[in-house]
Amino acid sequence: MTSTAVGGPAVEAVPPPRRPPPSGTLLAFVLLICAVLASMTILHPGYADFLAGDRDRAGDLNDYLRGVIRESGGTGAFLKGGPRGGCDSGDDRTSAGILVSYAILAVATASYYWFRSGRRARRRGVRPLNAERFPALHAEVDRLVSGVERARGVTVLVDFLDSGVNGVTFGRVGRRHVVLSRGLIRLHEGTEEDRAAFRAVVLHELAHLRNRDVDITMVTLALLRCFTVLILAPRMLGDLLALVFVADGTGFFAAALLDALVLAGVVLAARSVVLRTREFQADARVVEWLGDPAPLLRAFALAGSEPVAARRRGPWTGRWGRLTRTHPSFAERASCLADRAQLMHQGFGFAFVVGFCLPAAWDPVASATAQIRAGGGIRGWWPTELITFLIALVLFLTVVRAALHRQGDPASAPSRTPFRAGIAVGVVAGYAVAPSTVVDHLMLPGLSVAAQVSGWCAVALLCLLLTLWCQFLADCWARPLDHGRRPRARATALGLVVAVAVAGNASAVFALPWQIAMGRFLDERLAALPEPLHAAVWTQYVVATKLMHPGWLVGAAVVLLGVPLAGILRDRRLARYMVPAGPPVPPPRRSRAAVLGVAALATACFPPLQTWWAHQRQVEFLAHSAVLAPLTLLVAVGTVTGGLARSRRPVWAAGSVLACGLLLAVPLVLFTGEPGLLRLWSVLVGTGVEGALVGTLATVVLSHPGRAAAPRPPG
């Protein structure tokens, strides 16, 4: 698309570069929807329960649960000998209340978007651009509008009361408006540089139409305003009144208020990501059209020179403002024009929201008290797998965008540490403000806080490993996606594979906290262990048990190793037709003898140290051969895999270790045929696979070298 006019510069002077799939604004918008859906189970107001039929029932499910546990003699006795069917929650109106809240929010958001999206056009001082009064200006704007796809038919307005250099794009389907300020119009009457800045600002507003983010912006603003007025404010007001007037509810309602504040902050951070990302995307589109960032930088300088009210900000106030503000600063936008890293890479805040939404979505159906309740509730309809699927898809496509930028310019790419830390911290924070944190303690006397936190950390570690693997997979496929045909379709297909795999196995991961917390009541040997070790032992057992199943083992190998291997093979095929940017730098190779020696030393030292420690802690079952043998194999395989993968391809290292283990174990089983040995072999294989995968991901992906930039082939 190139549009020129007599005496005017081209709207697009250079062909647009290959754009990464997909839009960062769309990904942030999907994440915002997931955050609102996940928070509604906690924040739905009391009037929704009233509309759903909650009319001050005589009996309360929570009181009934407390009574049953008290009559059973405590939490442990209840879990061991209590009713297997759980406690009937068929009269619980929480599920219907959440559905009523969804309906109210959806109707209010749709109404606000349809009827209020154009209210700015009816403000005082806003008038349509008059062709008779401003003929040259009208002709220039028409030329710019006609050259931008999806901008034809837009109504151009002028705000005569705004003296700043501003522009706004808004509206709904069928009615699009662009408002130009009086100060912006004055630029059109100035020097050539000022007129170029005027065109850059107008094109920035038209770029929002071209990027299809106007509806996303309007829905985001409508959703947040309706959510605050109809959901958040009534719920917090009710909790505050209950905190003041309910005598024995201080702890519960104080925690509920804190949860509401944290959830509101998370939703505001998600909104900020959406609105800030759209600004970066529009700036990048303008530079593509003009071929030069100078006019836009001139506009930033003029807009930034306007006097503003000075406000003193403390360190925490400044951080909160950076997290929740809707527009990036002019300095950030200028730096993004010079370096697309801010456009392509998401930081701690985005990753925190991703991690936060996962436990918030799973807690209503995977907490300890949710396992006890039977009949009714939200377990039958709550779309946990759907929310998990969307979040996993957003996570992978986000790291794909970052990998594409890193593949083209690895030197300017920011560190991945804030993104990884945001995922882990977000998971822990999501559990910390979940209802089960308080409700489980009220319902289940004797529940250990340390056991709860250990379960959260176990899930956070697994989510961190998932993030590492997604980044590794994106690195393997970066060049094939960048130079192949239909990159968006391929990236989406890879994202669907990741999302299906994550959603299909998320129930086992997010069941770990309640299993770890309840395991201390059901097994005295587990109760004797320190809480972090108990969480580690149970997590290792669950993963190894999964990998013992042949179908699960093959599926894990195909997804975790086969998909990256396909990207590596495709990358090598493309590398044959490209001229390297410089002489190849071979990775540092470690001696195989050194790696095997360290693995042998670790394997020899682990059993006696484990046995001594188990006797010292009086947990002799951990020194039994059935437990000691898999753990020793885990140490050996993890050490070998980590050592080899630092100097060779990770997939090669993991495949080599797995192949050696199978070659040594299969003949043993075929010749002996003993059922007990077959069972032990399956345990060893499951643990060995676990060790290979964990060792590979933990020690290799952290130091995966970036590829040097290679020139694209002509055409």
Side-chain angles (χ1 to χ4, degrees), residues 465 468 634-646 650 653-654 657 687-703:
L465 291 177
L468 295 176
L634 177 63
V635 172
V637 173
T639 306
V640 174
T641 305
L644 292 179
R646 279 188 173 273
V657 174
T687 309
V689 173
E690 179 192 4
L693 297 177
V694 173
T696 300
L697 291 175
T699 61
V700 181
V701 182
L702 289 172
S703 59

Side-chain angles (χ1 to χ4, degrees), residues 40-54 57 91-105 231 235 377-378 381:
M40 290 288 283
T41 58
I42 307 173
L43 287 180
H44 73 280
Y47 72 82
D49 293 335
F50 181 83
L51 294 176
D54 190 348
R57 302 188 308 274
D91 194 36
D92 187 13
R93 300 293 180 179
T94 302
S95 176
I98 296 174
L99 289 176
V100 170
S101 300
Y102 282 146
I104 292 174
L105 184 62
I231 305 298
R235 176 58 187 263
I378 69 173
W381 65 268

Side-chain angles (χ1 to χ4, degrees), residues 538-549:
W538 186 259
T539 303
Q540 188 272 334
Y541 169 77
V542 170
V543 176
T545 304
K546 285 281 188 180
L547 291 171
M548 286 163 49
H549 191 277

Side-chain angles (χ1 to χ4, degrees), residues 33-34 36-41 95 98-99 102 357-358 360-365 377-391 503 506:
I33 299 299
C34 293
V36 172
L37 289 177
S39 64
M40 290 288 283
T41 58
S95 176
I98 296 174
L99 289 176
Y102 282 146
C357 290
L358 289 171
W362 277 95
D363 184 79
V365 299
I378 69 173
R379 296 175 63 181
W381 65 268
W382 178 241
T384 47
E385 286 80 8
L386 176 60
I387 296 177
T388 306
F389 176 88
L390 293 176
I391 294 175

Side-chain angles (χ1 to χ4, degrees), residues 282-356:
D283 290 342
R285 181 74 72 175
V286 173
V287 175
E288 290 178 12
W289 287 343
L290 295 178
D292 182 11
L296 202 55
L297 294 175
R298 169 70 174 170
F300 293 162
L302 293 174
S305 63
E306 299 172 5
V308 295
R311 291 184 300 174
R312 297 185 61 183
R313 289 179 175 268
W316 290 103
T317 307
R319 294 188 185 97
W320 173 255
R322 287 192 297 270
L323 185 64
T324 58
R325 63 189 178 191
T326 59
H327 279 69
S329 65
F330 291 118
E332 290 176 337
R333 294 171 66 177
S335 65
C336 186
L337 293 179
D339 179 12
R340 295 173 64 101
Q342 297 185 52
L343 180 67
M344 304 296 294
H345 295 261
Q346 295 291 354
F348 180 87
F350 184 93
F352 179 87
V353 177
V354 171
F356 187 94

Side-chain angles (χ1 to χ4, degrees), residues 253 504 654:
F253 291 110

